[in-house]
Amino acid sequence: MAFKNNSNVQLAPYNTLGSGGRSSFFTTVSNIDDLKSAVELAQKQNLPIFVLGGGSNVLFSDSGWSGQVIKMDIKGLEFEDRGREVLVRASAGENWDQMVLETVKRGLYGLENLSGIPGTAGATPIQNIGAYGVEIKDSLESVEVLDINDKKIKTISAKDCDFKYRHSIFKESAGKHYVVLKINCVLSKDPKPVAHYKDIKEKVSGLPLEKLTPEFLRQVVLDIRFEKFPDIKKVGTAGSFFKNPVVSMEKFQDLKKIFPEMPGYENTDNSIKIPLAWILDKVLNLKGYKKGSVALFNSQPLVLVNFGESNGDEVYRFGLKIANLVKERTGIDIEFEVTPVGNFV
């Protein structure tokens, strides 16, 4: 066996929330052959498989994972010139923000608003990551995957990924058997800045188009994130812990009668996305709220921070409490943006 499969591995060091017990088995794979071998070994032993990237969007329980964790470390970054466009191929284990940096260095538009997001390239289509008016689906051409059922490599077009807000086919039963190997993004050499998002607009208002280069916009985004988000190197966090709720137009109008100042952004299907941070701050006054070693960040209540160690269950219970408070006050059901893994108590 080319790879090393370790047993009884502590999971806390492998996720940015710093939570979780131990995994029955844990291996890191740096090529497709090792990945296939790890999958086959787990299947022979009837072990559930969890594929881990940078661990920046996962919450492990204190009981850990009774199965096989496969950490993706397959690397590779390629650029293919297509005239006014460039195809960027990134293997799943590539650091996402480093990839974004390489694209803006080349003056390519498309990913600069997604700067500063932790994690790996392979995780981006699963969550359909987004920030400041841009989602990965806007640039994605296709995703290359390993089908663990037949061990074949397949290509799924962006159209067939069923992208929605923080959702994709990879979160559905129809896509659970796919392991992302590579993402293929099409970026533009022509000036196509996305600067309509409120926070960015405030910082670039009045600037000419030629000033809004990918590198400039990346720095703007990083500055905004620095103001709003905790330092992931100093405190346990997974960034935005909750999804912004999406409600019907009718529900939104009813809420506006109770909360006239509530903001909302219309989607193409006539639904309304409501900034959860506004509800947590203005309606529930929970900015900075803390219980035990878990808190809502004082600059951005959508972000949960963990000051403890390996207390995944405490984080989970805290998240549920926040969701219940939102439900009681507004009638809105909110969902975790992070993926809970394991059994929580």
Side-chain angles (χ1 to χ4, degrees):
M1 189 184 300
F3 67 94
K4 183 178 181 181
N5 203 22
N6 299 293
S7 59
N8 198 32
V9 174
Q10 179 68 51
L11 291 168
Y14 294 98
N15 68 94
T16 59
L17 270 167
S19 72
R22 295 179 178 272
S23 178
S24 301
F25 296 96
F26 187 104
T27 187
T28 299
V29 297
S30 56
N31 58 67
I32 294 173
D33 287 340
D34 283 357
L35 172 62
K36 289 181 179 179
S37 296
V39 168
E40 288 170 355
L41 179 62
Q43 290 174 332
K44 285 178 182 177
Q45 297 178 342
N46 292 317
L47 293 172
I49 297 169
F50 182 79
V51 179
L52 180 66
S56 59
N57 197 55
V58 62
L59 173 64
F60 286 112
S61 72
D62 292 345
S63 62
W65 176 246
S66 298
Q68 176 75 62
V69 170
I70 300 176
K71 180 168 172 54
M72 289 290 285
D73 197 35
I74 301 175
K75 299 293 179 62
L77 187 61
E78 304 171 32
F79 294 82
E80 178 186 309
D81 198 295
R82 291 183 173 180
R84 299 311 305 164
E85 295 180 332
V86 173
L87 176 67
V88 183
R89 297 187 181 94
S91 293
E94 283 291 324
N95 178 279
W96 171 253
D97 193 52
Q98 186 62 38
M99 172 189 166
V100 175
L101 177 60
E102 293 301 321
T103 68
V104 302
K105 282 181 178 178
R106 290 167 168 79
L108 301 176
Y109 289 83
L111 303 180
E112 59 277 6
N113 288 34
L114 302 178
S115 294
I117 297 176
T120 55
T124 60
I126 298 172
Q127 188 76 359
N128 184 24
I129 65 167
Y132 307 108
V134 173
E135 293 177 315
I136 186 62
K137 72 175 180 63
D138 302 329
S139 299
L140 199 72
E141 181 180 81
S142 60
V143 180
E144 296 176 34
V145 302
L146 174 69
D147 188 330
I148 65 174
N149 289 339
D150 58 18
K151 310 305 183 294
K152 292 182 179 179
I153 296 174
K154 302 173 181 178
T155 300
I156 303 175
S157 69
K159 179 186 175 193
D160 291 332
C161 286
D162 191 27
F163 286 124
K164 300 182 182 70
Y165 171 63
R166 301 299 180 270
H167 183 81
S168 71
I169 189 175
F170 307 108
K171 287 193 162 189
E172 301 169 3
S173 57
K176 291 285 189 179
H177 57 285
Y178 293 136
V179 177
V180 176
L181 300 175
K182 186 178 292 186
I183 63 170
N184 301 311
C185 297
V186 178
L187 307 183
S188 177
K189 296 178 183 178
D190 297 324
K192 294 184 177 181
V194 178
H196 64 269
Y197 194 89
K198 178 177 176 289
D199 289 355
I200 295 180
K201 190 174 181 179
E202 289 176 355
K203 290 184 178 291
V204 306
S205 179
L207 294 177
L209 180 64
E210 58 267 22
K211 178 69 173 176
L212 305 183
T213 65
E215 284 191 289
F216 177 80
L217 288 172
R218 171 179 166 81
Q219 191 56 54
V220 168
V221 168
L222 291 176
D223 290 345
I224 293 170
R225 295 184 71 89
F226 179 78
E227 294 169 1
K228 287 191 171 185
F229 290 85
D231 187 342
I232 204 168
K233 297 176 182 178
K234 297 180 179 179
V235 65
T237 181
S240 297
F241 191 85
F242 307 97
K243 295 180 183 179
N244 287 309
V246 178
V247 301
S248 68
M249 178 66 77
E250 292 75 16
K251 173 67 174 177
F252 181 66
Q253 293 300 335
D254 289 341
L255 286 167
K256 288 283 281 186
K257 294 175 184 176
I258 306 170
F259 312 105
E261 303 298 319
M262 177 179 284
Y265 304 95
E266 189 170 355
N267 298 313
T268 55
D269 62 357
N270 205 39
S271 63
I272 303 293
K273 182 167 71 174
I274 301 172
L276 180 59
W278 188 91
I279 295 175
L280 296 175
D281 182 18
K282 305 300 182 182
V283 176
L284 295 170
N285 194 31
L286 288 177
K287 184 184 286 188
Y289 172 71
K290 184 178 181 182
K291 183 175 176 59
S293 60
V294 190
L296 297 182
F297 192 51
N298 52 19
S299 296
Q300 169 53 281
L302 198 61
V303 173
L304 185 150
V305 289
N306 175 19
F307 298 106
E309 294 181 359
S310 305
N311 52 349
D313 291 359
E314 183 183 357
V315 173
Y316 185 79
R317 290 193 297 270
F318 183 91
L320 288 182
K321 179 175 182 178
I322 299 301
N324 288 334
L325 290 172
V326 172
K327 176 71 172 180
E328 290 172 4
R329 189 71 177 88
T330 67
I332 297 174
D333 292 303
I334 62 171
E335 301 176 12
F336 290 1
E337 185 168 319
V338 300
T339 300
V341 179
N343 298 313
F344 293 86
V345 296

